[in-house]
Amino acid sequence: MKYGLLGKSLKHSYSKEIHELLGYYKYEYFEEDDLDKFFQRKDINGINVTIPYKEDVIKYLDEMSEDAKKIGCVNTIKFSDTIKGYNTDIDGMEYMISRIVDLKGKEVVILGDGATSKTAVECAKRLQARTIKVISRKGEHKFEDVDYYKNCDVLINATPVGMYPNNLKSVIKLGKIRPEAVFDVIYNPNKTSLLMDCDRLKIPNDNGLRMLVYQAVKACEIFTSKQIDDDVVENIVQKIRTKNMNIALVGMPGSGKSTVAKIIAKNTDKKLVDIDKIITQRYGNINDIFAVQGEKYFRKIESEVLEEFSKEKNLIIATGGGAVTVKKNFYYLHQNSVVYWIDRPNSKLSRKNRPIYKTNTMREIRQNRNYLYRRFSDKYFNNYNAKITAKLIVEDFNETIYY
């Protein structure tokens, strides 16, 4: 008998990885257009359901759980003598939220009015929120009506805006709105623009990965009739983050970023992406680019390459020394990476093939950039020995990734 995920465009889903880490069954993807035909199959024991079918599958069910009835959509179906639909998303959302904030007596604002929004509304009711406001693009209260919801205590983004591959888009900007906690159901990228704003403003937040893992665990319990500890949820969250998140290196030209990145790639399963090498392969010699088209043009193509690769996962990214001079590169890097600043004394910096050193002294560059390296980075390491630095970064990454 088979288990899997029913939906469309599933190649970036983590569901297979999560269910197979649970270890009870093989899991596959069903990208189906014909639901009538799918529900006639006799080889299915249990499925999860995602976009766009969470409401469409209801007509094929013999019965529904109380949560699924209240919410009006289904994300888990068990096939036995009857076909029963459940909503375990509400359990996942409760788990995600309750780790950070108690909703009792709070004003909760939910962005979006789709199936996930309905789940968020019922979750907020379950957790005894005082007031629940739903904001959407076309509803009675719209995203731009900030005065209506600017005093909210908790904000939940239940829209797909900002999800891969449309990274760094957001329906609102924090500023007037300063909630005490923010949740974004998106988990790819790891940090949406909204959550990066939260980090900047020191607002506690979480993405949708814990919700995804917890709802999968609850679905597995339905499929297998087994009880699974919450420790399993956290172990899977850590494994997925360790596997999928990137390590990015910033620092002065000649500080050893490429060398350290190569060592990390060799000692882990992360793929090496050297931004300067990618640029050379696509556009030619960097010295020639600086000489003929200038630094401004180089920074433009550097940002384009960073944007492309920073969306991806499980990479070790060695940036160019000047990547920190372009503000938007901060957001490109931080959406999926832990960023490390590695440094050396000026006397140890390599000047070979560094066009910036032809027009600026090392002292000038350091004075202009050190505050940017500090701003861009999560951690700092003095790169006195590349092998030791690589080892320390990997150790720190494995500890940092759990939050």
Side-chain angles (χ1 to χ4, degrees):
M1 299 296 284
K2 295 183 177 182
Y3 299 85
L5 177 65
L6 174 65
K8 289 187 176 181
S9 303
L10 303 177
K11 66 179 180 178
H12 296 291
S13 170
Y14 292 173
S15 292
K16 178 177 171 66
E17 184 176 0
I18 293 167
H19 281 270
E20 293 192 351
L21 281 169
L22 288 168
Y24 292 105
Y25 40 74
K26 293 291 184 183
Y27 195 86
E28 56 189 279
Y29 292 142
F30 304 109
E31 294 192 352
E32 302 286 340
D33 292 317
D34 189 340
L35 291 184
D36 289 342
K37 184 177 179 181
F38 180 81
F39 276 89
Q40 290 172 8
R41 292 178 61 161
K42 303 299 182 185
D43 61 340
I44 306 293
N45 196 43
I47 59 169
N48 296 113
V49 184
T50 189
I51 296 170
Y53 293 137
K54 289 187 176 185
E55 296 172 327
D56 294 347
V57 297
I58 290 175
K59 67 181 181 180
Y60 299 98
L61 306 176
D62 298 311
E63 52 183 325
M64 294 169 64
S65 70
E66 288 304 311
D67 284 330
K69 288 177 185 176
K70 287 179 186 177
I71 296 165
C73 62
V74 163
N75 79 308
T76 300
I77 300 175
K78 184 172 183 179
F79 296 75
S80 54
D81 295 335
T82 61
I83 303 175
K84 184 172 182 178
Y86 302 81
N87 189 302
T88 64
D89 282 337
I90 190 171
D91 302 307
M93 188 169 286
E94 179 179 355
Y95 180 79
M96 171 184 71
I97 291 169
S98 297
R99 291 182 70 259
I100 293 178
V101 67
D102 182 356
L103 288 195
K104 186 175 182 179
K106 299 286 198 301
E107 178 175 298
V108 176
V109 165
I110 298 164
L111 304 178
D113 57 6
T116 305
S117 174
K118 294 175 184 176
T119 302
V121 168
E122 290 302 320
C123 182
K125 289 178 182 177
R126 180 193 280 188
L127 296 174
Q128 301 178 52
R130 181 185 81 251
T131 308
I132 302 168
K133 295 180 177 179
V134 176
I135 316 298
S136 64
R137 195 177 304 280
K138 297 180 180 180
E140 180 183 356
H141 299 289
K142 298 177 175 57
F143 298 131
E144 58 267 28
D145 299 335
V146 177
D147 287 340
Y148 173 69
Y149 61 95
K150 66 182 180 182
N151 296 319
C152 71
D153 298 307
V154 177
L155 181 71
I156 302 171
N157 177 40
T159 78
V161 177
M163 184 170 66
Y164 181 95
N166 300 309
N167 301 38
L168 300 183
K169 297 184 183 299
S170 183
V171 294
I172 66 164
K173 286 286 185 185
L174 299 181
K176 279 189 177 181
I177 312 164
R178 292 292 292 268
E180 62 181 79
V182 175
F183 302 93
D184 196 326
V185 299
I186 293 168
Y187 57 87
N188 184 12
N190 180 65
K191 289 281 187 181
T192 58
S193 176
L194 177 64
L195 295 191
M196 283 190 272
D197 279 348
C198 290
D199 289 343
R200 177 176 57 83
L201 297 170
K202 301 189 184 309
I203 298 171
N205 64 85
D206 202 0
N207 70 8
L209 181 58
R210 279 192 173 87
M211 175 180 168
L212 179 73
V213 174
Y214 196 84
Q215 66 80 24
V217 166
K218 290 299 165 185
C220 180
E221 289 180 345
I222 290 167
F223 296 155
T224 63
S225 300
K226 297 182 182 296
Q227 294 296 309
I228 301 171
D229 292 339
D230 286 354
D231 287 348
V232 173
V233 176
E234 293 303 314
N235 286 336
I236 291 175
V237 168
Q238 186 173 12
K239 285 178 181 178
I240 290 174
R241 283 196 170 131
T242 302
K243 176 182 176 183
N244 291 313
M245 282 194 67
N246 303 326
I247 296 172
L249 306 181
V250 300
M252 286 282 286
S255 59
K257 299 183 294 295
S258 294
T259 301
V260 171
K262 285 179 185 176
I263 296 169
I264 292 173
K266 183 178 179 181
N267 294 333
T268 66
D269 66 349
K270 296 193 178 298
K271 179 183 175 183
L272 174 63
V273 172
D274 189 314
I275 298 299
D276 281 352
K277 284 193 174 181
I278 299 290
I279 291 171
T280 300
Q281 290 166 4
R282 294 182 181 181
Y283 300 97
N285 182 274
I286 292 175
N287 282 307
D288 293 342
I289 295 172
F290 265 75
V292 176
Q293 291 155 302
E295 184 178 356
K296 185 176 180 180
Y297 174 76
F298 176 80
R299 297 298 168 210
K300 175 181 175 291
I301 60 176
E302 181 181 51
S303 290
E304 290 171 357
V305 174
L306 267 175
E307 180 183 17
E308 174 187 344
F309 284 97
S310 294
K311 287 182 177 183
E312 304 306 324
K313 57 191 179 184
N314 200 27
L315 305 178
I316 166 68
I317 302 172
T319 68
V324 296
T325 63
V326 179
K327 183 178 179 180
K328 62 186 175 181
N329 291 345
F330 176 94
Y331 297 96
Y332 294 156
L333 286 172
H334 278 270
Q335 61 186 327
N336 280 324
S337 302
V338 180
V339 182
Y340 293 91
W341 172 16
I342 65 172
D343 199 15
R344 284 173 175 162
N346 286 356
S347 60
K348 300 293 185 181
L349 294 173
S350 170
R351 293 169 173 79
K352 185 178 179 182
N353 293 323
R354 315 286 175 186
I356 195 69
Y357 288 142
K358 293 179 180 179
T359 55
N360 300 268
T361 68
M362 220 172 258
R363 182 183 178 87
E364 289 170 339
I365 295 168
R366 188 176 287 282
Q367 285 177 336
N368 291 333
R369 292 185 184 172
N370 265 13
Y371 82 96
L372 292 171
Y373 293 134
R374 191 174 296 111
R375 176 177 173 269
F376 264 64
S377 59
D378 297 302
K379 297 287 179 69
Y380 170 92
F381 284 97
N382 188 343
N383 184 26
Y384 60 91
N385 178 292
K387 288 184 178 179
I388 293 174
T389 301
K391 180 174 181 290
L392 292 172
I393 287 173
V394 171
E395 288 174 355
D396 182 85
F397 174 80
N398 289 334
E399 293 176 4
T400 300
I401 212 67
Y402 183 74
Y403 60 88

